[in-house]
Amino acid sequence: MPSIVYLNGEFVARSNAKISVLDRGFLFGDGIYEVIPVYQGKSFRLSEHLARLNDCLHKVQITNPYTEKQWQSLIEQVVEKNDEKNTSVYIQVSRGFQQERNHVATPAVKPTVLVMTSPLSSGDAELKPIKATLLEDIRWKHCDIKSIALLGNIMLRQEAEARGCQEAILHRKQKVTEGATSNVFIVKSGVIYTPEKNQYILGGITRDLIIELAEKASIKVIEAQISTDELFTADEVWVSSSSREISPVTQIDDKIIAQGEIGSIAKKLHCDFQAFKQTLIND
Ligand code: PDD
C-alpha cells in the first residue's frame, strides 16, 4: 500500500505529492514543523504539539491555516489511511508559494500544508544507552522556533554521526543548551537539572512531560544552567525527544558517564513514561 500524505487539501500517494520550486519552504526554509508520536492510533500530547505549532507560526507571522479540531481530524485521517497504529506524524507548514523569489513575502501568500507519517523509532520497552559528543552550538538565536531551516542542527547531528555518536550535546560558552535533536537532562545527588526554556532551546514536549512525571514522583527538578563540566561529573545524563523518549547518555566523547550504567532516575521515569502512554492508549 502506498503511503498517503495530506498536501494542501488533498490526500495523495506520497510519490505523487508535489510542490512548486517557488514554494518558500523549498527556497528559503521558510516554515514550521512538528513531529507527533502516535501510539496504538492515539496521538501523544496532541494539544501540546498543536499549541507549540500555533505559537511558532505566530512568532514568524505565518497564519495557522487550521483550528486545533481541524488539525486533529487531518492527523487522524492520515494515520487511518496509512493503517499504521504506531507511527510518527510529521506536519509542515511553509509560508507557501509565491510567484517571484523574494525574501519579502507578499500578503496573499497561502501556507503550504503537508501531513505525513514516518516510522516511529521510540516505543521500546527497553532504555537504550547512547554515546554523545559535545559540540559548540553554532545555531541562531531563535532555537525556540521549530523552524524547518535545520542546517545548523543537521551539521551538528552529522558531525556526531561521523564521530560514532548518536547525538550531539551542544553548548554556548560552556553552558549546555540542548541536543542537536533533543533536550538535555542531568541528575546530581537525586536532583534533576535541565536548562531553562529560552531562545536557545526548543521547549520540548517530552521535556515538559518528564518534568511533570518527575514532580509527580516527588523527584526535584531544577531548570537552570548546566556547565559542560557538570555533564561529566553528573550521576546521570539523558536526552529526550518525541522520537527518542528518554535516552540515557553513558558516554560523552571519550568520557564514560557514571560508570557507563543507566541511572535509577532514568529507569524510574522511563517506567512512568510507559505507564503514562498506556493510560492514553487505554482511554
Ligand atoms: N526533534 N530540541 C531539538 C533541537 C529538537 O529537534 C527536538 C525534537 C527536541 C525535543 O522536542 P520534543 O520533545 O517536542 O520532540 C528538542 C524532533 C523529534 C525532530 O526534529 O525530528
Side-chain angles (χ1 to χ4, degrees):
M1 192 185 70
S3 286
I4 303 294
V5 307
Y6 172 88
L7 180 65
N8 289 338
E10 279 182 278
F11 293 95
V12 288
R14 190 162 61 186
S15 50
N16 292 332
K18 303 271 167 32
I19 59 156
S20 165
V21 293
L22 286 169
D23 193 278
R24 297 180 61 89
F26 178 69
L27 288 179
F28 297 116
D30 184 1
I32 299 295
Y33 78 104
E34 268 300 324
V35 176
I36 307 166
V38 173
Y39 304 113
Q40 294 301 318
K42 303 223 172 119
S43 308
F44 193 61
R45 297 246 123 179
L46 182 62
S47 33
E48 287 82 356
H49 280 281
L50 292 178
R52 182 172 66 187
L53 175 68
N54 191 55
D55 284 354
C56 290
L57 288 169
H58 183 74
K59 280 178 185 164
V60 300
Q61 296 175 8
I62 295 177
T63 308
N64 189 343
Y66 301 126
T67 62
E68 186 172 335
K69 268 218 165 99
Q70 287 171 322
W71 277 118
Q72 189 174 346
S73 157
L74 271 182
I75 293 166
E76 278 170 10
Q77 289 179 72
V78 171
V79 170
E80 236 176 77
K81 285 182 196 299
N82 286 288
D83 200 19
E84 287 160 339
K85 292 261 173 289
N86 295 303
T87 189
S88 176
V89 169
Y90 177 84
I91 295 178
Q92 179 171 309
V93 182
S94 84
R95 202 178 300 272
F97 162 85
Q98 189 167 337
Q99 280 300 345
E100 299 284 327
R101 181 185 176 275
N102 187 338
H103 286 66
V104 181
T106 51
V109 69
K110 211 171 131 241
T112 297
V113 179
L114 169 70
V115 182
M116 65 178 182
T117 58
S118 49
L120 188 67
S121 45
S122 65
D124 291 319
E126 290 284 301
L127 271 178
K128 285 201 201 87
I130 62 164
K131 188 177 160 190
T133 187
L134 188 61
L135 293 175
E136 189 192 339
D137 196 338
I138 53 164
R139 301 170 304 160
W140 68 334
K141 291 183 184 163
H142 293 287
C143 298
D144 53 319
I145 298 173
K146 207 162 167 58
S147 161
I148 61 170
L150 285 173
L151 204 45
N153 303 64
I154 288 167
M155 287 167 71
L156 293 160
R157 183 65 187 80
Q158 298 214 138
E159 178 59 25
E161 207 65 17
R163 295 180 181 195
C165 298
Q166 293 78 50
E167 182 57 308
I169 294 181
L170 313 178
H171 71 92
R172 290 186 197 253
K173 299 200 173 113
Q174 311 309 316
K175 302 290 175 211
V176 175
T177 53
E178 60 178 343
T181 62
S182 59
N183 291 114
V184 176
F185 292 82
I186 66 165
V187 176
K188 191 76 189 166
S189 308
V191 177
I192 300 172
Y193 297 84
T194 192
E196 61 194 335
K197 282 193 205 173
N198 56 31
Q199 75 203 82
Y200 298 111
I201 74 164
L202 180 75
I205 306 299
T206 322
R207 173 193 181 277
D208 289 350
L209 177 58
I210 289 169
I211 293 174
E212 244 176 80
L213 294 174
E215 284 170 350
K216 248 189 223 152
S218 302
I219 303 167
K220 192 168 177 191
V221 182
I222 299 180
E223 294 177 63
Q225 279 189 344
I226 300 170
S227 70
T228 49
D229 285 347
E230 284 168 321
L231 277 177
F232 297 106
T233 55
D235 300 328
E236 301 184 22
V237 177
W238 0 292
V239 295
S240 73
S241 75
S242 295
S243 33
R244 293 172 187 265
E245 299 181 354
I246 298 172
S247 279
V249 177
T250 50
Q251 188 174 342
I252 303 176
D253 295 314
D254 55 359
K255 300 203 179 76
I256 304 290
I257 307 298
Q259 289 89 48
E261 299 291 328
I262 299 177
S264 58
I265 295 188
K267 284 184 188 157
K268 158 86 184 132
L269 289 178
H270 172 69
C271 269
D272 292 357
F273 199 105
Q274 302 312 312
F276 184 89
K277 261 163 61 176
Q278 204 52 50
T279 54
L280 170 96
I281 293 164
N282 297 340
D283 242 11

